[in-house]
Amino acid sequence: MMRRTAVWWTATGLALGMGVGGAGWAQAQAQAPAATSNGRVAIVDIQRILARSVAGAAAREQLEKDKAAMQRQLDGQKTELEKMRDELEKKGQLLSADARREKQDAMERKVRDVRRLVDDLQAQLQKKEDALLQKVLQDVAGLIQRLGKDRGFAVVLERQRAGVLYNSNDSDITDEVLKAYDDQTKKATK
């Protein structure tokens, strides 16, 4: 009984919303500027913007520097681990059972520490990458909105996420967004 009542209220709400809201929507569409009612659709390739823009290249360069520093840290730990392993192999036969077990335990702890370090460094790198890319995407989103509005597009879709199978060259505004973004980046750095 409770379920039927909820369904009835939902259906009634939808019907009222379509009746009253539908008229309101039609009225709003009639009053909308011609630029948004023409049905034009634009396509933007965000991946291309990230790959070719000045800010995208700077973000990738910063990530590569961070990655190299993390790799040096990891290499130091791996070298230390290899030394421990070599020492155990060379001197293991000469050590007492307790001393050998102690060295093996120390090496196992070191292996766990290195694995944990790898996981931590990967998480840090992913977080930095997300933050840098989010800033670039945030900046680009404003430009896309402005260009879409100025050029009179009703909708601007992202090429990969929208699953675009075909679009004409005149509907692709990626190069315009890329140029505007690079210009904005250059102005901000001056």
Side-chain angles (χ1 to χ4, degrees), residues 45-113:
D45 189 344
I46 296 293
Q47 294 304 315
R48 194 165 87 201
I49 291 171
L50 289 173
R52 296 183 183 173
S53 68
V54 172
R60 278 193 316 281
E61 185 178 317
Q62 181 61 44
L63 284 172
E64 288 302 318
K65 286 179 184 177
D66 291 346
K67 185 177 178 182
M70 290 175 180
Q71 187 63 48
R72 284 190 299 275
Q73 182 181 1
L74 191 58
D75 288 345
Q77 294 293 319
K78 285 183 178 180
T79 301
E80 211 175 296
L81 183 61
E82 287 172 6
K83 284 180 186 176
M84 290 175 76
R85 185 175 292 137
D86 288 345
E87 184 180 333
L88 185 63
E89 284 178 9
K90 290 178 184 175
K91 298 179 182 176
Q93 300 299 333
L94 304 174
L95 297 173
S96 68
D98 288 341
R100 190 173 335 125
R101 188 173 23 251
E102 198 174 295
K103 289 222 180 253
Q104 285 175 336
D105 289 346
M107 191 172 80
E108 288 173 9
R109 279 192 302 275
K110 188 69 171 175
V111 167
R112 281 193 304 270
D113 290 346

